[in-house]
Amino acid sequence: MPDKPDFDLQVTHRYFSADCFNKTWEFINDSNRTDEDDLSMLQTAMASLWHWTQREDALPQNLSVGNWQVSRVFALLGQADNARRYAEASLKFSEGCEPFYIGFAYEALARAEMAAENQAKMNEYLEQARQLAEKVEDPEDREVLMGDLDSIK
């Protein structure tokens, strides 16, 4: 067993949870991703989520968002079962949170079903997410959620 590190682990977890989350978004937004980029995108999303699970200050909404991002990556990679698994975790962690977080969990479920080519279930989740979006009080947050929902076809 290694000795205790000479740095603050909580500071490290805070840094990497955010840094890996942001790096994942760079990959998500890159329309010219290579197979290697896809692997790195998955690795950074999983690393971000893991670091969130190690943070003493992690709230359910943080874990909901972390699982949501991993689900999004799996949906982009066409891995519907994995996307669904992490979307369901996102929904579980969003229970009791603001409609914004619950809406995004349903958005993740819709994307998982889109990856599975299950149009009926995708539409059902989209409708649930849209109903929740109407309850989001902050106009900017509502717009972000609706924008993501509108990108699902």
Side-chain angles (χ1 to χ4, degrees):
M1 181 104 163
D3 293 332
K4 185 175 181 197
D6 61 353
F7 54 87
D8 185 328
L9 278 173
Q10 284 303 301
V11 169
T12 304
H13 292 309
R14 281 192 299 273
Y15 174 82
F16 283 111
S17 60
D19 186 64
C20 291
F21 185 89
N22 293 334
K23 183 64 179 168
T24 302
W25 273 110
E26 291 176 24
F27 287 117
I28 289 171
N29 290 328
D30 182 358
S31 58
N32 297 311
R33 280 189 321 272
T34 64
D35 289 342
E36 186 176 293
D37 292 337
D38 283 347
L39 181 58
S40 292
M41 177 176 62
L42 177 59
Q43 291 167 336
T44 56
M46 296 297 282
S48 173
L49 178 57
W50 183 81
H51 282 286
W52 270 109
T53 68
Q54 303 305 301
R55 288 179 60 163
E56 294 170 352
D57 64 342
L59 299 172
Q61 59 259 38
N62 301 125
L63 299 176
S64 176
V65 170
N67 280 281
W68 166 80
Q69 188 184 55
V70 171
S71 175
R72 177 83 170 248
V73 167
F74 276 123
L76 284 170
L77 298 176
Q79 295 184 30
D81 289 340
N82 285 323
R84 191 178 297 112
R85 177 178 300 118
Y86 284 93
E88 289 169 352
S90 177
L91 183 60
K92 178 183 143 224
F93 282 110
S94 72
E95 289 175 9
C97 292
E98 297 171 23
F100 176 80
Y101 297 100
I102 304 168
F104 263 109
Y106 278 105
E107 183 265 355
L109 286 164
R111 285 188 192 279
E113 296 306 329
M114 181 175 69
E117 299 181 0
N118 185 346
Q119 189 79 27
K121 198 73 170 164
M122 180 192 83
N123 288 334
E124 177 184 322
Y125 288 135
L126 276 174
E127 181 56 32
Q128 289 176 287
R130 285 191 176 101
Q131 289 175 8
L132 285 156
E134 292 175 12
K135 297 177 183 178
V136 174
E137 293 180 14
D138 183 280
E140 289 179 28
D141 285 349
R142 187 179 326 106
E143 186 177 321
V144 169
L145 177 53
M146 289 304 294
D148 270 12
L149 295 173
D150 290 343
S151 73
I152 299 174
K153 308 281 185 230

